[in-house]
Amino acid sequence: MKIKFILFIFASLWLALLVRVFFLSVESNSYYEKLSYNNTIKIDQIAPVRGEIVDINNKPIAINELGFKIQLAPHLGLERNSEIFEDEINTLLSLLPNLDREKMVKEYKKVDSYYNHNFIDIVDFVSYEELMPIYSILSLRENLNIVSSPKRFYPYSEIGAHIIGYVGRANKDDIANDELVKLIGYSGKSGIERYYNEYLQGLAGKREIKVNANNQEVEELSSQKPSEDTKLTLNIDIELQKYISSFFENKAGAVIVMRMDGAILSASSFPEYNLNTFVTGISNEVWDKLSNSLDKPFTNKLIHGLYPPGSVIKTGLGLLYITSPEAGPYFNVHCTASMPLGSRVFRCWKKDGHGPTEIKKAIRESCDDFFYKGSLRLGIEKMSDGLMRYGLGKKTGVDLPNEFIGTVPSREWKKKKYNKPWYIGETVNTSIGQGDFLTTPMQIAQFTALMATGKLPRPYFANKIGEAVVEPEFEDVLNEDELKRLPTIQRAMYEVCNVPGGTARNYLRTKVKIAGKTGTAQVVGILQDIKKRDLEHEMEYYTRSHAWFTSYGPYDNPQYVVLAMVEHGGHGGAATGDVVSAIYNKLLELGYIKQDSEDDK
């Protein structure tokens, strides 16, 4: 029995040894073969060149400036190699005296380690013109590596800054979300550059190379080029953009020129800033100046600026009034310049009142009392629901990142945000675009297109992504009765610009017959005991009202929306009439607007 047990143990041990030998010699062969392959074959990714952004006329507005980055061999930070390290740094400084020694040393030491065997970037960019005269000297130094590295460049500097956006150094979040960004080192930070970042950066290429024990290249085994054609064409006309910017020196605000299908020909947020300062890193001095400015140049006011819309929403609200059973198409009031409500008095802007007022006169002369009394009939819920259906209080869908939605107040909104009840005075305030009502200029442009055509377009900047044409998108949001009554609102908007008493008529010098609506949005409230308000130009600048003017033209054949908003500009028509007139005249001059012979008369 004991002999059998011993034989069993002996046989088991031999079997185990045989199995292990089989595994080491046969089964693990593929594993060690792969390990050996990885020790001798290296895969190098090739960074793609970022796609250019061009305007509708193929003028480049974001390009790549030819240049190089300089890399230093690893492990020179060790004490035994300190002399070599200093020699390489001193050589670079002697040839390129504008380089920053402290920055180069910091960048090197941040990456250098025993485990890193790759050359380390110490200079992000040296232009082609600077480097070529000394290229032969640097290329002979075995510890230095010169690598082609284009840098983003914006030929028009600050023009269109907020829509184009800029490219900057990738941070940890950028790298975590996209492996390619780690290779490139840069990513889109704002505007179009960020929204279309994945497309613009393209796809990496790769090289398969054989290396020796010292990680030196022996042979190239295969190569695959990175993507090359990732051009993005915008609907923007950069020359028109430049022309419009000339009207906003020392002013803050926003301008949008949009085709009726939503294609944006020009859009600016003011003040603008130089995009090129952000590509390689902005100085603390410039950053502090921009970030501390009360005019907020970093804010993209087109989609992130939240403003009381004032009277520009009266067109949509008027359409709700004349198509509702509570008011109806023949709703009218007698404006006496004030409307008592509880312990408050709601005043009309015209101190003597407007007298008998129906819908067209109410919009033409912007009678507040008409909208006060109409709101008491319609109620906040129908007002809020209708205006949101018209595109306010939600994203327009424009191709820019992180669009804000604004606020169309309602009982439910106030309860959710403040846990407080709704008061009837808030309904009255909402009817003239004040109180908690907040919109973006992009929403008002979209809203104006709806008033002009009866369709709600999605605003968009991209004309072609590569060779793929971007198609317009529309929503049908008006019901049958609203479509039937819309011409009444359109005629009223025409009278705003062309009939005596119209709030914009005296401020327009345009060759195009247009329709529109002005708005003056208060920044500070007016106390009840103040019966005579200060004139806008007499007030402190940052307490003056925001000035709106949104329009479309030509009136008989709507082709473009033109919107201008001037922060603290005072009266809507006075502050914006000149720039809106100039834009329409320029659109006509450039051939964007086509007029019938009747329109020219």
Side-chain angles (χ1 to χ4, degrees):
M1 188 69 182
K2 287 182 180 180
I3 294 174
K4 288 183 178 180
F5 179 72
I6 291 170
L7 289 173
F8 174 76
I9 295 297
F10 183 78
S12 298
L13 288 172
W14 271 104
L15 183 61
L17 286 171
L18 288 171
V19 169
R20 181 61 177 161
V21 168
F22 176 79
F23 176 78
L24 290 173
S25 62
V26 180
E27 289 297 316
S28 64
N29 180 64
S30 60
Y31 168 76
Y32 287 106
E33 185 179 357
K34 184 178 179 181
L35 194 62
S36 174
Y37 179 85
N38 289 338
N39 283 333
T40 58
I41 306 301
K42 181 180 176 184
I43 305 296
D44 268 354
Q45 285 193 307
I46 306 170
V49 176
R50 193 173 183 86
E52 291 187 347
I53 303 175
V54 300
D55 81 342
I56 194 67
N57 298 311
N58 209 36
K59 290 186 177 180
I61 54 182
I63 60 176
N64 303 299
E65 188 178 6
L66 183 60
F68 303 87
K69 64 181 175 182
I70 302 174
Q71 299 175 324
L72 191 56
H75 310 144
L76 298 183
L78 299 175
E79 189 174 343
R80 67 174 182 269
N81 295 326
S82 60
E83 288 186 13
I84 301 173
F85 181 75
E86 285 297 319
D87 182 49
E88 299 296 353
I89 295 294
N90 290 334
T91 298
L92 285 173
L93 288 170
S94 67
L95 296 170
L96 297 165
N98 291 327
L99 295 181
D100 186 330
R101 169 188 286 271
E102 186 178 334
K103 184 178 179 182
M104 286 192 292
V105 172
K106 182 181 177 182
E107 291 297 320
Y108 185 84
K109 291 185 175 180
K110 187 166 64 176
V111 179
D112 191 32
S113 75
Y114 285 105
Y115 306 103
N116 176 54
H117 301 289
N118 297 318
F119 275 69
I120 299 167
D121 296 347
I122 58 170
V123 179
D124 290 327
F125 183 82
V126 180
S127 70
Y128 179 87
E129 292 77 11
E130 274 187 287
L131 196 89
M132 288 317 293
I134 58 173
Y135 180 82
S136 58
I137 300 172
L138 295 179
S139 61
L140 291 174
R141 302 184 71 88
E142 63 179 19
N143 290 315
L144 291 177
N145 196 24
I146 312 301
V147 182
S148 175
S149 177
K151 183 179 74 171
R152 205 62 161 171
F153 179 68
Y154 302 98
Y156 292 88
S157 187
E158 73 279 359
I159 303 299
H162 296 86
I163 59 170
I164 300 166
Y166 62 89
V167 168
R169 279 192 175 186
N171 56 35
K172 289 181 180 179
D173 290 338
D174 296 329
I175 293 170
N177 293 329
D178 190 341
E179 277 294 315
L180 184 56
V181 173
K182 184 177 181 180
L183 172 68
I184 298 170
Y186 291 86
S187 65
K189 296 295 183 181
S190 67
I192 294 291
E193 289 275 32
R194 180 174 175 183
Y195 190 90
Y196 290 103
N197 183 66
E198 187 175 345
Y199 168 74
L200 288 167
Q201 70 185 11
L203 299 173
K206 66 177 182 179
R207 292 174 69 233
E208 189 177 37
I209 56 176
K210 185 182 290 187
V211 295
N212 61 23
N214 294 321
N215 202 41
Q216 294 174 324
E217 183 176 335
V218 176
E219 180 186 358
E220 181 178 278
L221 301 177
S222 66
S223 179
Q224 178 184 328
K225 290 183 178 181
S227 57
E228 295 179 349
D229 187 14
T230 53
K231 186 169 80 170
L232 181 67
T233 305
L234 304 183
N235 291 306
I236 291 294
D237 182 328
I238 197 66
E239 293 300 328
L240 177 64
Q241 190 94 12
K242 189 176 177 181
Y243 174 76
I244 292 171
S245 292
S246 67
F247 290 90
F248 271 78
E249 289 184 19
N250 303 315
K251 291 181 182 178
V255 173
I256 298 171
V257 181
M258 184 178 78
R259 220 165 50 205
M260 285 300 164
D261 65 359
I264 298 174
L265 191 63
S266 177
S268 299
S269 172
F270 301 103
E272 297 176 303
Y273 56 87
N274 188 342
L275 292 170
N276 292 307
T277 59
F278 287 84
V279 176
T280 54
I282 188 171
S283 69
N284 290 332
E285 183 182 354
V286 175
W287 172 265
D288 289 340
K289 182 180 178 181
L290 291 171
S291 58
N292 293 327
S293 170
L294 293 176
D295 290 327
K296 300 180 179 178
F298 285 149
T299 300
N300 183 349
K301 293 165 185 176
L302 300 165
I303 59 169
H304 296 151
L306 294 175
Y307 306 93
S311 296
V312 294
I313 55 97
K314 288 177 177 176
T315 54
L317 200 53
L319 184 59
L320 291 172
Y321 286 2
I322 63 174
T323 55
S324 71
E326 291 85 356
Y330 306 109
F331 173 64
N332 64 88
V333 304
H334 187 84
C335 173
T336 57
S338 64
M339 184 189 78
L341 185 68
S343 60
R344 292 191 61 183
V345 175
F346 289 88
R347 298 187 180 92
C348 190
W349 70 267
K350 190 174 182 180
K351 65 179 182 179
D352 297 325
H354 291 87
T357 304
E358 38 67 49
I359 183 64
K360 283 192 286 188
K361 182 180 178 182
I363 290 174
R364 179 178 71 242
E365 301 181 20
S366 205
C367 174
D368 294 327
D369 194 50
F370 179 91
F371 290 92
Y372 293 155
K373 290 169 180 172
S375 71
L376 296 179
R377 292 198 180 195
L378 197 61
I380 189 58
E381 294 310 314
K382 287 193 174 182
M383 289 166 55
S384 176
D385 290 348
L387 291 172
M388 289 189 72
R389 180 161 50 87
Y390 294 170
L392 304 179
K394 59 184 181 182
K395 294 183 180 183
T396 66
V398 67
D399 45 351
L400 288 176
N402 304 320
E403 182 182 9
F404 288 1
I405 64 171
T407 302
V408 178
S410 66
R411 283 190 177 87
E412 182 183 356
W413 168 84
K414 189 180 179 186
K415 185 71 176 175
K416 186 176 180 179
K417 187 172 179 66
Y418 299 112
N419 196 28
K420 290 183 178 179
W422 183 265
Y423 297 104
I424 195 168
E426 294 172 292
T427 299
V428 175
N429 258 342
T430 301
S431 74
I432 57 166
Q434 294 287 167
D436 291 308
F437 207 151
L438 294 172
T439 58
T440 67
M442 192 64 69
Q443 288 173 332
I444 297 299
Q446 183 190 48
F447 171 82
T448 305
L450 175 67
M451 294 296 106
T453 66
K455 290 183 178 293
L456 192 71
R458 178 186 69 85
Y460 64 104
F461 287 98
N463 176 271
K464 287 196 297 184
I465 302 173
E467 294 302 317
V469 176
V470 178
E471 298 294 337
E473 298 174 22
F474 297 92
E475 271 189 272
D476 291 314
V477 298
L478 300 184
N479 60 40
E480 188 177 336
D481 197 22
E482 288 168 337
L483 287 170
K484 179 182 175 182
R485 299 291 178 186
L486 185 59
T488 301
I489 303 299
Q490 293 167 342
R491 181 64 193 181
M493 294 176 72
Y494 171 84
E495 292 181 4
V496 166
C497 303
N498 299 284
V499 171
T503 54
R505 182 178 183 268
N506 294 334
Y507 306 105
L508 296 175
R509 303 289 183 272
T510 174
K511 300 171 185 176
V512 181
K513 286 291 184 184
I514 67 171
K517 183 71 190 78
T518 59
T520 306
Q522 293 174 11
V523 174
V524 294
I526 303 174
L527 299 176
Q528 282 288 294
D529 58 355
I530 297 178
K531 295 184 178 179
K532 185 179 179 183
R533 184 185 175 184
D534 291 340
L535 296 175
E536 290 285 350
H537 68 272
E538 296 172 347
M539 301 170 68
E540 290 291 330
Y541 176 77
Y542 286 105
T543 65
R544 296 175 191 171
S545 300
H546 298 317
W548 289 93
F549 183 32
T550 187
S551 65
Y552 69 88
Y555 167 67
D556 291 322
N557 179 24
Q559 296 168 37
Y560 285 92
V561 167
V562 175
L563 174 145
M565 189 279 297
V566 180
E567 289 184 0
H568 313 292
H571 180 267
T576 61
D578 284 347
V579 65
V580 169
S581 296
I583 291 170
Y584 277 109
N585 292 339
K586 194 69 173 177
L587 291 172
L588 191 62
E589 176 191 325
L590 295 173
Y592 284 111
I593 284 182
K594 309 293 183 185
Q595 291 200 119
D596 297 331
S597 57
E598 290 183 8
D599 295 326
D600 294 325
K601 293 177 181 178

